[in-house]
PDB file of all heavy atoms in Angstrom:
ATOM      1  N   LEU A 304    -133.597 203.666-194.007  1.00  0.00           N
ATOM      2  CA  LEU A 304    -133.695 202.933-192.744  1.00  0.00           C
ATOM      3  C   LEU A 304    -135.118 202.429-192.518  1.00  0.00           C
ATOM      4  O   LEU A 304    -135.319 201.276-192.114  1.00  0.00           O
ATOM      5  CB  LEU A 304    -133.253 203.822-191.579  1.00  0.00           C
ATOM      6  CG  LEU A 304    -133.316 203.191-190.193  1.00  0.00           C
ATOM      7  CD1 LEU A 304    -132.320 202.038-190.082  1.00  0.00           C
ATOM      8  CD2 LEU A 304    -133.027 204.237-189.123  1.00  0.00           C
ATOM      9  N   TYR A 305    -136.106 203.257-192.805  1.00  0.00           N
ATOM     10  CA  TYR A 305    -137.498 202.840-192.670  1.00  0.00           C
ATOM     11  C   TYR A 305    -137.784 201.659-193.600  1.00  0.00           C
ATOM     12  O   TYR A 305    -138.406 200.675-193.193  1.00  0.00           O
ATOM     13  CB  TYR A 305    -138.448 204.000-192.977  1.00  0.00           C
ATOM     14  CG  TYR A 305    -139.897 203.570-192.990  1.00  0.00           C
ATOM     15  CD1 TYR A 305    -140.602 203.434-191.811  1.00  0.00           C
ATOM     16  CD2 TYR A 305    -140.547 203.274-194.185  1.00  0.00           C
ATOM     17  CE1 TYR A 305    -141.916 203.011-191.809  1.00  0.00           C
ATOM     18  CE2 TYR A 305    -141.855 202.849-194.196  1.00  0.00           C
ATOM     19  CZ  TYR A 305    -142.538 202.716-193.011  1.00  0.00           C
ATOM     20  OH  TYR A 305    -143.836 202.290-193.012  1.00  0.00           O
ATOM     21  N   ALA A 306    -137.332 201.766-194.855  1.00  0.00           N
ATOM     22  CA  ALA A 306    -137.560 200.680-195.822  1.00  0.00           C
ATOM     23  C   ALA A 306    -136.923 199.389-195.324  1.00  0.00           C
ATOM     24  O   ALA A 306    -137.538 198.319-195.375  1.00  0.00           O
ATOM     25  CB  ALA A 306    -137.009 201.059-197.190  1.00  0.00           C
ATOM     26  N   TRP A 307    -135.696 199.472-194.844  1.00  0.00           N
ATOM     27  CA  TRP A 307    -135.007 198.286-194.339  1.00  0.00           C
ATOM     28  C   TRP A 307    -135.755 197.703-193.138  1.00  0.00           C
ATOM     29  O   TRP A 307    -135.925 196.491-193.024  1.00  0.00           O
ATOM     30  CB  TRP A 307    -133.572 198.640-193.957  1.00  0.00           C
ATOM     31  CG  TRP A 307    -132.860 197.507-193.300  1.00  0.00           C
ATOM     32  CD1 TRP A 307    -132.294 196.424-193.911  1.00  0.00           C
ATOM     33  CD2 TRP A 307    -132.675 197.323-191.902  1.00  0.00           C
ATOM     34  NE1 TRP A 307    -131.766 195.583-192.964  1.00  0.00           N
ATOM     35  CE2 TRP A 307    -131.986 196.115-191.720  1.00  0.00           C
ATOM     36  CE3 TRP A 307    -133.025 198.076-190.784  1.00  0.00           C
ATOM     37  CZ2 TRP A 307    -131.634 195.646-190.471  1.00  0.00           C
ATOM     38  CZ3 TRP A 307    -132.673 197.599-189.543  1.00  0.00           C
ATOM     39  CH2 TRP A 307    -131.979 196.387-189.404  1.00  0.00           C
ATOM     40  N   LEU A 308    -136.230 198.586-192.263  1.00  0.00           N
ATOM     41  CA  LEU A 308    -136.913 198.146-191.054  1.00  0.00           C
ATOM     42  C   LEU A 308    -138.202 197.395-191.372  1.00  0.00           C
ATOM     43  O   LEU A 308    -138.505 196.380-190.754  1.00  0.00           O
ATOM     44  CB  LEU A 308    -137.211 199.352-190.167  1.00  0.00           C
ATOM     45  CG  LEU A 308    -137.787 199.094-188.790  1.00  0.00           C
ATOM     46  CD1 LEU A 308    -136.764 198.387-187.916  1.00  0.00           C
ATOM     47  CD2 LEU A 308    -138.204 200.407-188.143  1.00  0.00           C
ATOM     48  N   VAL A 309    -138.966 197.869-192.354  1.00  0.00           N
ATOM     49  CA  VAL A 309    -140.271 197.257-192.613  1.00  0.00           C
ATOM     50  C   VAL A 309    -140.216 196.074-193.576  1.00  0.00           C
ATOM     51  O   VAL A 309    -141.223 195.390-193.758  1.00  0.00           O
ATOM     52  CB  VAL A 309    -141.312 198.295-193.097  1.00  0.00           C
ATOM     53  CG1 VAL A 309    -141.566 199.326-192.016  1.00  0.00           C
ATOM     54  CG2 VAL A 309    -140.903 198.935-194.397  1.00  0.00           C
ATOM     55  N   VAL A 310    -139.063 195.821-194.187  1.00  0.00           N
ATOM     56  CA  VAL A 310    -138.972 194.627-195.035  1.00  0.00           C
ATOM     57  C   VAL A 310    -138.075 193.555-194.431  1.00  0.00           C
ATOM     58  O   VAL A 310    -138.009 192.447-194.953  1.00  0.00           O
ATOM     59  CB  VAL A 310    -138.514 194.946-196.481  1.00  0.00           C
ATOM     60  CG1 VAL A 310    -139.497 195.845-197.167  1.00  0.00           C
ATOM     61  CG2 VAL A 310    -137.126 195.506-196.519  1.00  0.00           C
ATOM     62  N   SER A 311    -137.397 193.875-193.335  1.00  0.00           N
ATOM     63  CA  SER A 311    -136.557 192.882-192.677  1.00  0.00           C
ATOM     64  C   SER A 311    -137.430 191.812-192.048  1.00  0.00           C
ATOM     65  O   SER A 311    -138.403 192.114-191.357  1.00  0.00           O
ATOM     66  CB  SER A 311    -135.700 193.524-191.582  1.00  0.00           C
ATOM     67  OG  SER A 311    -134.790 194.427-192.149  1.00  0.00           O
ATOM     68  N   SER A 312    -137.075 190.577-192.270  1.00  0.00           N
ATOM     69  CA  SER A 312    -137.906 189.477-191.764  1.00  0.00           C
ATOM     70  C   SER A 312    -137.755 189.271-190.256  1.00  0.00           C
ATOM     71  O   SER A 312    -138.585 188.607-189.653  1.00  0.00           O
ATOM     72  CB  SER A 312    -137.559 188.190-192.504  1.00  0.00           C
ATOM     73  OG  SER A 312    -136.202 187.879-192.311  1.00  0.00           O
ATOM     74  N   TRP A 313    -136.739 189.832-189.657  1.00  0.00           N
ATOM     75  CA  TRP A 313    -136.528 189.585-188.241  1.00  0.00           C
ATOM     76  C   TRP A 313    -137.077 190.695-187.341  1.00  0.00           C
ATOM     77  O   TRP A 313    -136.927 190.640-186.127  1.00  0.00           O
ATOM     78  CB  TRP A 313    -135.053 189.348-187.948  1.00  0.00           C
ATOM     79  CG  TRP A 313    -134.164 190.477-188.362  1.00  0.00           C
ATOM     80  CD1 TRP A 313    -133.574 190.645-189.571  1.00  0.00           C
ATOM     81  CD2 TRP A 313    -133.774 191.600-187.572  1.00  0.00           C
ATOM     82  NE1 TRP A 313    -132.858 191.811-189.582  1.00  0.00           N
ATOM     83  CE2 TRP A 313    -132.953 192.411-188.363  1.00  0.00           C
ATOM     84  CE3 TRP A 313    -134.050 192.005-186.276  1.00  0.00           C
ATOM     85  CZ2 TRP A 313    -132.409 193.599-187.911  1.00  0.00           C
ATOM     86  CZ3 TRP A 313    -133.503 193.193-185.818  1.00  0.00           C
ATOM     87  CH2 TRP A 313    -132.689 193.967-186.631  1.00  0.00           C
ATOM     88  N   THR A 314    -137.725 191.725-187.904  1.00  0.00           N
ATOM     89  CA  THR A 314    -138.305 192.765-187.054  1.00  0.00           C
ATOM     90  C   THR A 314    -139.808 192.570-186.938  1.00  0.00           C
ATOM     91  O   THR A 314    -140.433 191.944-187.792  1.00  0.00           O
ATOM     92  CB  THR A 314    -138.034 194.177-187.604  1.00  0.00           C
ATOM     93  OG1 THR A 314    -138.731 194.337-188.839  1.00  0.00           O
ATOM     94  CG2 THR A 314    -136.557 194.419-187.816  1.00  0.00           C
ATOM     95  N   PHE A 316    -141.858 194.882-187.303  1.00  0.00           N
ATOM     96  CA  PHE A 316    -142.475 195.926-188.098  1.00  0.00           C
ATOM     97  C   PHE A 316    -142.677 195.504-189.551  1.00  0.00           C
ATOM     98  O   PHE A 316    -142.961 196.312-190.405  1.00  0.00           O
ATOM     99  CB  PHE A 316    -141.616 197.193-188.072  1.00  0.00           C
ATOM    100  CG  PHE A 316    -141.254 197.628-186.683  1.00  0.00           C
ATOM    101  CD1 PHE A 316    -139.945 197.618-186.264  1.00  0.00           C
ATOM    102  CD2 PHE A 316    -142.238 198.039-185.793  1.00  0.00           C
ATOM    103  CE1 PHE A 316    -139.605 198.022-184.987  1.00  0.00           C
ATOM    104  CE2 PHE A 316    -141.909 198.427-184.515  1.00  0.00           C
ATOM    105  CZ  PHE A 316    -140.597 198.425-184.108  1.00  0.00           C
ATOM    106  N   ARG A 317    -142.520 194.231-189.846  1.00  0.00           N
ATOM    107  CA  ARG A 317    -142.578 193.713-191.213  1.00  0.00           C
ATOM    108  C   ARG A 317    -143.905 194.050-191.887  1.00  0.00           C
ATOM    109  O   ARG A 317    -144.968 193.880-191.319  1.00  0.00           O
ATOM    110  CB  ARG A 317    -142.396 192.198-191.191  1.00  0.00           C
ATOM    111  CG  ARG A 317    -142.485 191.545-192.535  1.00  0.00           C
ATOM    112  CD  ARG A 317    -141.190 190.845-192.853  1.00  0.00           C
ATOM    113  NE  ARG A 317    -141.298 190.028-194.049  1.00  0.00           N
ATOM    114  CZ  ARG A 317    -140.944 190.469-195.241  1.00  0.00           C
ATOM    115  NH1 ARG A 317    -140.495 191.680-195.378  1.00  0.00           N
ATOM    116  NH2 ARG A 317    -141.026 189.689-196.284  1.00  0.00           N
ATOM    117  N   LEU A 318    -143.811 194.552-193.124  1.00  0.00           N
ATOM    118  CA  LEU A 318    -144.977 194.863-193.945  1.00  0.00           C
ATOM    119  C   LEU A 318    -144.875 194.113-195.267  1.00  0.00           C
ATOM    120  O   LEU A 318    -143.801 193.671-195.659  1.00  0.00           O
ATOM    121  CB  LEU A 318    -145.041 196.368-194.246  1.00  0.00           C
ATOM    122  CG  LEU A 318    -145.232 197.322-193.080  1.00  0.00           C
ATOM    123  CD1 LEU A 318    -145.153 198.764-193.574  1.00  0.00           C
ATOM    124  CD2 LEU A 318    -146.565 197.082-192.405  1.00  0.00           C
ATOM    125  N   ARG A 319    -146.015 194.017-195.961  1.00  0.00           N
ATOM    126  CA  ARG A 319    -145.982 193.490-197.327  1.00  0.00           C
ATOM    127  C   ARG A 319    -145.149 194.449-198.180  1.00  0.00           C
ATOM    128  O   ARG A 319    -145.101 195.649-197.911  1.00  0.00           O
ATOM    129  CB  ARG A 319    -147.394 193.410-197.905  1.00  0.00           C
ATOM    130  CG  ARG A 319    -148.297 192.429-197.226  1.00  0.00           C
ATOM    131  CD  ARG A 319    -149.647 192.322-197.944  1.00  0.00           C
ATOM    132  NE  ARG A 319    -150.068 193.537-198.626  1.00  0.00           N
ATOM    133  CZ  ARG A 319    -150.929 194.431-198.125  1.00  0.00           C
ATOM    134  NH1 ARG A 319    -151.438 194.251-196.924  1.00  0.00           N
ATOM    135  NH2 ARG A 319    -151.272 195.501-198.822  1.00  0.00           N
ATOM    136  N   TYR A 320    -144.506 193.915-199.212  1.00  0.00           N
ATOM    137  CA  TYR A 320    -143.647 194.745-200.040  1.00  0.00           C
ATOM    138  C   TYR A 320    -144.399 195.906-200.691  1.00  0.00           C
ATOM    139  O   TYR A 320    -143.884 197.015-200.768  1.00  0.00           O
ATOM    140  CB  TYR A 320    -142.969 193.908-201.127  1.00  0.00           C
ATOM    141  CG  TYR A 320    -141.847 193.051-200.608  1.00  0.00           C
ATOM    142  CD1 TYR A 320    -141.891 191.671-200.724  1.00  0.00           C
ATOM    143  CD2 TYR A 320    -140.742 193.618-199.997  1.00  0.00           C
ATOM    144  CE1 TYR A 320    -140.859 190.875-200.247  1.00  0.00           C
ATOM    145  CE2 TYR A 320    -139.708 192.843-199.509  1.00  0.00           C
ATOM    146  CZ  TYR A 320    -139.772 191.473-199.643  1.00  0.00           C
ATOM    147  OH  TYR A 320    -138.753 190.705-199.166  1.00  0.00           O
ATOM    148  N   ALA A 323    -145.034 198.500-197.980  1.00  0.00           N
ATOM    149  CA  ALA A 323    -143.777 199.156-197.624  1.00  0.00           C
ATOM    150  C   ALA A 323    -143.358 200.133-198.721  1.00  0.00           C
ATOM    151  O   ALA A 323    -142.897 201.246-198.440  1.00  0.00           O
ATOM    152  CB  ALA A 323    -142.682 198.118-197.391  1.00  0.00           C
ATOM    153  N   GLY A 324    -143.519 199.725-199.980  1.00  0.00           N
ATOM    154  CA  GLY A 324    -143.181 200.609-201.094  1.00  0.00           C
ATOM    155  C   GLY A 324    -144.033 201.857-201.114  1.00  0.00           C
ATOM    156  O   GLY A 324    -143.529 202.966-201.334  1.00  0.00           O
ATOM    157  N   LEU A 378    -139.535 197.939-204.125  1.00  0.00           N
ATOM    158  CA  LEU A 378    -140.315 197.084-203.244  1.00  0.00           C
ATOM    159  C   LEU A 378    -141.521 196.477-203.953  1.00  0.00           C
ATOM    160  O   LEU A 378    -141.911 195.351-203.661  1.00  0.00           O
ATOM    161  CB  LEU A 378    -140.741 197.852-201.997  1.00  0.00           C
ATOM    162  CG  LEU A 378    -139.564 198.236-201.086  1.00  0.00           C
ATOM    163  CD1 LEU A 378    -140.028 199.154-199.967  1.00  0.00           C
ATOM    164  CD2 LEU A 378    -138.871 197.015-200.523  1.00  0.00           C
ATOM    165  N   MET A 381    -140.391 193.425-205.771  1.00  0.00           N
ATOM    166  CA  MET A 381    -140.101 192.290-204.905  1.00  0.00           C
ATOM    167  C   MET A 381    -141.378 191.581-204.450  1.00  0.00           C
ATOM    168  O   MET A 381    -141.322 190.465-203.944  1.00  0.00           O
ATOM    169  CB  MET A 381    -139.304 192.763-203.682  1.00  0.00           C
ATOM    170  CG  MET A 381    -137.928 193.276-204.033  1.00  0.00           C
ATOM    171  SD  MET A 381    -137.082 194.054-202.649  1.00  0.00           S
ATOM    172  CE  MET A 381    -136.877 192.675-201.542  1.00  0.00           C
TER     173      MET A 381
END
Side-chain angles (χ1 to χ4, degrees):
L304 179 65
Y305 174 81
W307 174 79
L308 186 67
V309 297
V310 298
S311 295
S312 60
W313 58 271
T314 66
F316 309 115
R317 178 119 171 95
L318 296 175
R319 294 185 331 262
Y320 285 119
L378 293 172
M381 294 171 65

